[in-house]
Amino acid sequence: MRLPSHSANLLTGFALLALTLAGCSATPSTDGATDGTTDGAKIAVVASTNVWGDIAAQIGGDAINVSSLISDPAQDPHSFEADAQVQLALSKADVVVENGGGYDDYVETLLRGADNTTATVLNAVDISGFDQEPATGELNEHVWYDFPTVKKVAAEITKTFSKLDPANSDTFIANEKAFGAAVDVLAADTAALKTGSAAGSGVAITEPVPLYLLSAAGLINKTPVEFSEAIEEGTDVAPTVMQKTLALFSEKTVSLLAYNEQTTGPETEKVLAAAKAAGIAIVSVTETLPNGKSYLSWMTDNVDAVATALK
Ligand SMILES: [Zn+2]
């Protein structure tokens, strides 16, 4: 259901974005544009979430204008509903970065609806190379928690920007190199957790959100798959499944609970309370960037939070 405040938030997001962009440029914009697309020299980028939007911005720097459709940390991206503002942004996009894997299908639907046939569409799940229909289970579409995928997407973004703006290609490549080096540090810090005293510990999740990160740290997800799927899909958790999930904490099968702050309800709150009562460490995770964070600072926080929880 779309609440009136939702579209207001979206509008505010766009207005803030325009302000931010104006604040960043050396010469203040004089055209009074609010959508950032009237400056023909810049590549117009639309990302479905501010995670991909920030990664695009790290590479594109001043040569691009990027708008992210979902930036509100309080919003569940799985239940995002697009409106006319989104369609407008997409109609003007030169490059679209979407997550894929069923996460943000509305992007391509709207792109077609907006009659934008020229935009280059980068789909992170496609770029990841992951099997999108694995024989066992489902693809975990939260691929921005997978550092190798993030580097692959950054490389595709760099190639695309370089094609559209060859004069700035050297800058894009240098930016990608710096970004990639920082991602390598995160990956190394995560891999280092495999050799710690908590190596191979069990973990619980409310949603598959951070699983790539947790498994890169050598941790084993013990959550009944029926539980995390029900939470992600917004369906009811069967009583037996709930019982099994709660037992992870009372029996201390897990050393941490990764709790998705963006998809909460009575069932996840019950799980959170059980983990707290059992003294299990809680690692809060989100699907989009918390306010004031970049992808790199956010992921650094996430890796640090996992490391701290395992101490
Ligand atoms: Zn999710």
Side-chain angles (χ1 to χ4, degrees), residues 209-235:
V209 179
L211 270 189
Y212 290 110
L213 176 64
L214 297 175
S215 54
L219 303 167
I220 315 291
N221 178 25
K222 301 280 189 188
T223 321
V225 69
E226 301 94 328
F227 177 81
S228 44
E229 269 177 11
I231 299 303
E232 184 170 29
E233 285 155 21
T235 54

Side-chain angles (χ1 to χ4, degrees), residues 78 103 142 207 209 232 287:
H78 290 278
Y103 192 74
H142 306 93
E207 245 205 84
V209 179
E232 184 170 29
E287 309 223 9

